[in-house]
Amino acid sequence: MTQFEQYFTQRREEHLAELKELLQIPSISALSDHKHDIRHAAEWIAAALQSIGMSKVEVMQTKGNPVVYAEWLGAKDKPTALIYGHYDVQPVDPLHLWTTPPFEPAIRDGKLYARGSSDDKGQTFMHIKALQAFMQTTGTLPVNVKFCIEGEEEIGSPHLEEFVETHKELLQADVLVISDTTMYERGRPAICYGLRGLCALQIDVKAAKGDLHSGIYGGGVPNSIHALVELLASMHDGNGRVTVEGFYDQVKPLTEEEREAFQALGYDDVKAAAELGLQELFGEAGYSTLERMWARPTLEINGIYGGFQGEGTKTVIPSEAHAKITCRLVSEQNPDDILDRLEAHIRKHTPKGVTINVTRQDKGRPFVTPYDHPLIQAAARAYEKGYGVTPVFTRMGGSVPIVETFGRLLHVPVVLMGFGLPDENFHAPDEHFHLENFDKGLLTICHYWEEISNLK
């Protein structure tokens, strides 16, 4: 047993008790009622960083929620790593679907259940404890480290880009390390080298000045829901391809090497469909499921509502109808350009007799980095030591917009070392974190710092 294995084994219960303490703080960034909890979580993180020996720790206010910054720069002539994470969490509704209360951490079947256990308090906490292990076993760190832990990731990091732009010199590093992604599957670690971007909008359709009686007016006036459905149907063809003009113009095709690597992962469409309760999967024709989910753009209708939705029947022609849409973006797609194209499509295909208003919402750019970079290959070796298997290189269908921001503003390679699993219910009831990945992840992080300290 190595010194780190012994250290983490002896202190496991102590570390889990500390993590539970952090998880008890309901730091929900989307709800203004939790502003006090946001501040509490930031101060908790700052105190934890202070306690492990960081030479500088500061809770830095933004125009929104605070950023926790910390640094230790005592490793002369060694690389400097910037560690990013977030202490805010998603709302917990529907509350009745939680087996145990979301902010009362509970361990069941080797899993830690609580909101934020996987996304992202648990994984951020692991970085703090890995560095503490070095400090308490060797008295120093093998690399220089900086922390940037924010409190607005779950609401799109609206103030972090300005923070990074303002503090570029303070945040400058040789590598950015983020643990806010997932492994490919249990026992199969993954290094993510690509994330899809995002843009979102809401469509509001207005017909008559109010709901109308369908017997009196039916057949003679426009129906807002009919118009909305017609408009939404115009956005895809029967093969799953988005029909918005120019939507794919900036999409770079996957290389044959990448397509072969995706194929080698052995994704089982039939098994995946069964696990999701589907008869079969569906997506853009001509691409595998992994290609569709990781490297192709999408346009999804996330919600549609209007008219009478109560029990029974109400014979009205609805005055208003609404839809929420998000697009996942890849390659060089620009969120603002895609939103412009969507609005042009909406104007062109607006049915007669209704007016439409479009409200733009969240957006973030896609991110792809070369996975042959030495600092990323060092992560592969660290995973091999921590898990005993060779990790796979993957893209991820989700979006972490700030990753692209950091890469663009700081000109730094980004290493996405996630330890969560895809089925851990982040953003949903009964979010949990497999403790085997807590244990192996701590060792993997320690191996990574040793690996990059030896790079020339």
Side-chain angles (χ1 to χ4, degrees):
M1 182 179 289
T2 67
Q3 63 177 347
F4 291 126
E5 288 174 313
Q6 184 176 1
Y7 175 86
F8 290 126
T9 299
Q10 291 175 347
R11 290 164 177 77
R12 189 175 193 262
E13 295 308 313
E14 173 191 330
H15 290 168
L16 288 176
E18 289 180 43
L19 176 54
K20 287 179 180 180
E21 186 179 304
L22 174 60
L23 294 171
Q24 287 171 353
I25 304 172
S27 48
I28 303 171
S29 53
L31 304 177
S32 58
D33 288 348
H34 289 273
K35 279 291 184 184
H36 172 76
D37 299 308
I38 286 287
R39 187 74 190 187
H40 183 190
E43 291 173 349
W44 194 101
I45 292 289
L49 290 166
Q50 189 79 53
S51 71
I52 69 169
M54 294 294 101
S55 57
K56 177 182 179 181
V57 180
E58 187 175 353
V59 178
M60 304 178 71
Q61 191 58 51
T62 70
K63 292 179 181 177
N65 297 334
V67 169
V68 182
Y69 174 81
E71 67 180 36
W72 184 93
L73 305 176
K76 187 179 180 181
D77 300 326
K78 294 295 183 180
T80 297
L82 175 63
I83 301 166
Y84 165 85
H86 63 92
Y87 60 82
D88 65 317
V89 299
Q90 282 277 327
V92 297
D93 55 306
L95 192 60
H96 70 277
L97 294 181
W98 286 82
T99 304
T100 50
F103 297 110
E104 296 179 16
I107 295 176
R108 300 191 299 273
D109 302 320
K111 305 167 191 173
L112 175 58
Y113 285 82
R115 173 60 88 225
S117 55
S118 181
D119 180 21
D120 178 46
K121 287 180 178 176
Q123 298 196 61
T124 299
F125 178 82
M126 288 164 62
H127 279 284
I128 298 173
K129 291 295 125 177
L131 294 176
Q132 185 181 43
F134 276 103
M135 286 294 201
Q136 294 196 358
T137 57
T138 69
T140 189
L141 300 181
V143 295
N144 301 294
V145 295
K146 298 178 179 180
F147 279 87
C148 179
I149 312 299
E150 69 153 321
E152 296 185 328
E153 195 276 343
E154 298 294 6
I155 55 172
S157 302
H159 300 103
L160 193 59
E161 180 164 351
E162 181 181 354
F163 179 86
V164 175
E165 180 78 58
T166 303
H167 299 94
K168 282 194 292 188
E169 185 174 342
L170 179 70
L171 297 172
Q172 198 58 58
D174 298 299
V175 62
L176 171 64
V177 177
I178 301 175
S179 295
D180 194 17
T181 52
T182 63
M183 298 168 52
Y184 181 65
E185 60 187 6
R186 187 174 182 180
R188 240 179 142 182
I191 298 170
C192 180
Y193 68 92
L195 297 162
R196 290 195 289 192
L198 175 76
C199 64
L201 57 79
Q202 176 164 321
I203 301 173
D204 300 303
V205 180
K206 179 69 174 174
K209 62 182 180 180
D211 290 354
L212 301 174
H213 190 294
S214 68
I216 297 174
Y217 292 100
V221 297
N223 183 309
S224 64
I225 293 180
H226 292 185
L228 179 59
V229 169
E230 180 184 337
L231 173 61
L232 296 177
S234 74
M235 295 181 178
H236 290 88
D237 65 19
N239 293 316
R241 186 172 176 84
V242 177
T243 53
V244 173
E245 185 175 352
F247 186 80
Y248 295 97
D249 284 359
Q250 304 303 318
V251 177
K252 289 185 178 180
L254 282 166
T255 65
E256 282 305 310
E257 180 185 11
E258 285 181 296
R259 298 193 78 172
E260 290 171 5
F262 287 7
Q263 185 68 29
L265 292 173
Y267 190 85
D268 188 330
D269 283 13
V270 174
K271 179 182 177 184
E275 289 175 347
L276 295 171
L278 297 170
Q279 294 183 351
E280 60 182 324
L281 302 182
F282 175 78
E284 185 184 3
Y287 299 91
S288 71
T289 299
L290 287 184
E291 290 169 355
R292 294 168 183 161
M293 294 192 302
W294 289 353
R296 296 295 296 172
T298 66
L299 186 156
E300 300 287 358
I301 302 165
N302 308 120
I304 181 169
Y305 56 100
F308 178 65
Q309 299 176 54
E311 184 178 357
T313 300
K314 184 180 182 184
T315 53
V316 296
I317 299 172
S319 166
E320 297 182 2
H322 313 270
K324 295 179 182 292
I325 290 175
T326 54
C327 297
R328 298 290 178 171
L329 311 178
V330 300
S331 306
E332 303 298 323
Q333 286 183 303
N334 182 301
D336 289 313
D337 174 66
I338 294 300
L339 289 169
D340 288 343
R341 294 179 185 277
L342 278 170
E343 290 199 39
H345 181 95
I346 291 166
R347 288 194 301 270
K348 182 178 179 181
H349 292 84
T350 296
K352 294 180 179 179
V354 300
T355 58
I356 289 182
N357 182 63
V358 174
T359 304
R360 297 188 180 196
Q361 297 173 327
D362 294 350
K363 59 186 178 181
R365 292 174 178 267
F367 171 81
V368 179
T369 191
Y371 55 81
D372 58 355
H373 193 286
L375 289 163
I376 295 177
Q377 290 297 316
R381 295 192 297 274
Y383 270 121
E384 281 196 54
K385 291 178 179 178
Y387 281 81
V389 296
T390 302
V392 296
F393 289 92
T394 67
R395 295 197 189 195
M396 195 171 86
S399 305
V400 186
I402 197 60
V403 172
E404 187 276 338
T405 301
F406 272 116
R408 171 169 44 86
L409 294 179
L410 300 182
H411 307 289
V412 61
V414 182
V415 178
L416 297 168
M417 295 181 66
F419 300 98
L421 291 177
D423 60 355
E424 288 182 335
N425 290 3
F426 26 82
H427 294 204
D430 275 357
E431 178 182 349
H432 57 276
F433 189 37
H434 285 68
L435 292 181
E436 65 179 339
N437 291 324
F438 179 79
D439 298 330
K440 293 179 179 179
L442 285 166
L443 293 172
T444 301
I445 293 169
C446 290
H447 291 313
Y448 184 65
W449 301 136
E450 290 178 327
E451 286 285 340
I452 70 168
S453 78
N454 295 321
L455 291 177
K456 301 298 184 185

